[in-house]
Amino acid sequence: QAAACKFEPPSPACRPALALVAEMPHGDFSDFAALTLVGCGVQQMLYPFVHLGQVEALRAYVPAAPSVAPGPQCEAACSFFGGLLVIIGCMLFTVRWNTINGKLSGLACIGCAANTVYAVYYKYDKEVIVPRPFYVYAVVLALVGLKIMFFANPMPSSDKADKKKKN
């Protein structure tokens, strides 16, 4: 005879934490951007040489002569950049963006994207469009910046806050 499984509701001490998890909106563009940035960041930290060579449709971050391998400085810089992408990805996934706290982070993402495009297009590639991974990251950062600035989650109403206090 099989043992009977009995479901017990969580204790009252756990209910506020469970309510927060249940109300966290996931599945929007900021989560997809977070997944992209975390995945690419981990890849850059573990295998920086992938971006230091030409990959399918994208050119290398730093072009080198065919007989010269990128130095350890380039690998270190690429790994560091990957770490920053992981931080931004975690920030995008764990913070509940609303109409108040999304403005500055969104502006920073857009500023980072603009700086990336400016530095690569004008300074690095001398005003010639060369497909590089920098542009992919710039597009993701610009779009997620617009999303968390202007299409943020609504603030919880006072009715929901009152219900949470009662529980």
Side-chain angles (χ1 to χ4, degrees), residues 21-136:
V21 171
E23 291 183 17
M24 185 75 170
H26 284 295
D28 60 1
F29 182 74
S30 64
D31 289 336
F32 294 112
L35 181 62
T36 300
L37 294 175
V38 168
C40 292
V42 168
Q43 180 267 315
Q44 285 183 352
M45 289 189 307
L46 298 177
Y47 305 105
F49 55 86
V50 171
H51 279 297
L52 297 175
Q54 191 160 334
V55 180
E56 294 290 324
L58 300 175
R59 299 242 181 110
Y61 279 145
V62 182
S67 61
V68 179
Q73 296 89 352
C74 287
E75 285 190 25
C78 193
S79 291
F80 177 76
F81 180 62
L84 295 176
L85 288 179
V86 170
I87 291 171
I88 295 170
C90 290
M91 172 192 77
L92 291 173
F93 190 75
T94 58
V95 175
R96 179 185 168 94
W97 300 107
N98 58 42
T99 54
I100 295 173
N101 69 358
K103 302 295 184 200
L104 185 59
S105 298
L107 184 63
C109 286
I110 292 170
C112 180
N115 179 58
T116 300
V117 170
Y118 173 78
V120 174
Y121 180 74
Y122 288 104
K123 294 181 177 180
Y124 190 49
D125 290 333
K126 309 292 185 217
E127 298 184 27
V128 175
I129 295 178
V130 178
R132 297 191 191 278
F134 292 116
Y135 294 116
V136 174

